[in-house]
Amino acid sequence: MADINAIAKQFTDFYFTTFDSNRGGLGPLYRDQSMLTWEGTPIQGSKNIVEKLASLPFEKVVHKITTLDAQPSSPTVASLIVSVTGLLLVDDGANPLQFSQTFQLIPDGGSYYVLNDIFRLNYGA
């Protein structure tokens, strides 16, 4: 298997740069069987996922990644789990929001697609 940390870094750089500049451009990363759980709400299929991401109630967002961890997710397929934590700066707000996001990436030709994607804001108690 290729260096999973390098794959995870390349994927997250692309994902969050695209999310921050053109959420609709994330469509090719998902498939019909892909599942996004956004703050506890499950959404299935590339079209539905992109519609959800495009309809989020903010104009501008910047992701600042704090941690990035990756592990192989199958002994027989070159798939991986990627866990990200970081900060979201929304609409030039002064108070960043903490978030965590986990992806399961599945090989597809010379690239990967997102089979599973779980997003949560992390609120302090």
Side-chain angles (χ1 to χ4, degrees), residues 2-51:
D3 179 3
I4 63 170
N5 292 314
I7 294 167
K9 172 96 170 78
Q10 182 179 12
F11 168 78
T12 55
D13 286 350
F14 177 81
Y15 180 91
F16 291 114
T17 299
T18 303
F19 192 108
D20 293 353
S21 62
N22 173 25
R23 287 177 255 166
L26 293 171
L29 294 178
Y30 297 95
R31 302 292 183 269
D32 288 342
Q33 69 272 23
S34 296
M35 174 79 68
L36 165 66
T37 300
W38 185 271
E39 288 290 297
T41 301
I43 301 148
Q44 185 164 11
S46 178
K47 179 179 178 286
N48 295 332
I49 291 168
V50 171
E51 283 176 3

Side-chain angles (χ1 to χ4, degrees), residues 40-102:
T41 301
I43 301 148
Q44 185 164 11
S46 178
K47 179 179 178 286
N48 295 332
I49 291 168
V50 171
E51 283 176 3
K52 171 63 178 175
L53 297 177
S55 72
L56 293 172
F58 47 79
E59 294 291 320
K60 228 175 120 180
V61 63
V62 175
H63 289 82
K64 302 222 180 252
I65 304 306
T66 306
T67 66
L68 172 62
D69 298 296
Q71 294 182 352
S73 63
S74 168
T76 57
V77 178
S79 57
L80 58 150
I81 299 285
V82 179
S83 176
V84 177
T85 63
L87 301 173
L88 289 174
L89 300 167
V90 177
D91 290 333
D92 296 320
N95 298 318
L97 303 168
Q98 294 184 27
F99 80 97
S100 63
Q101 194 159 3
T102 303

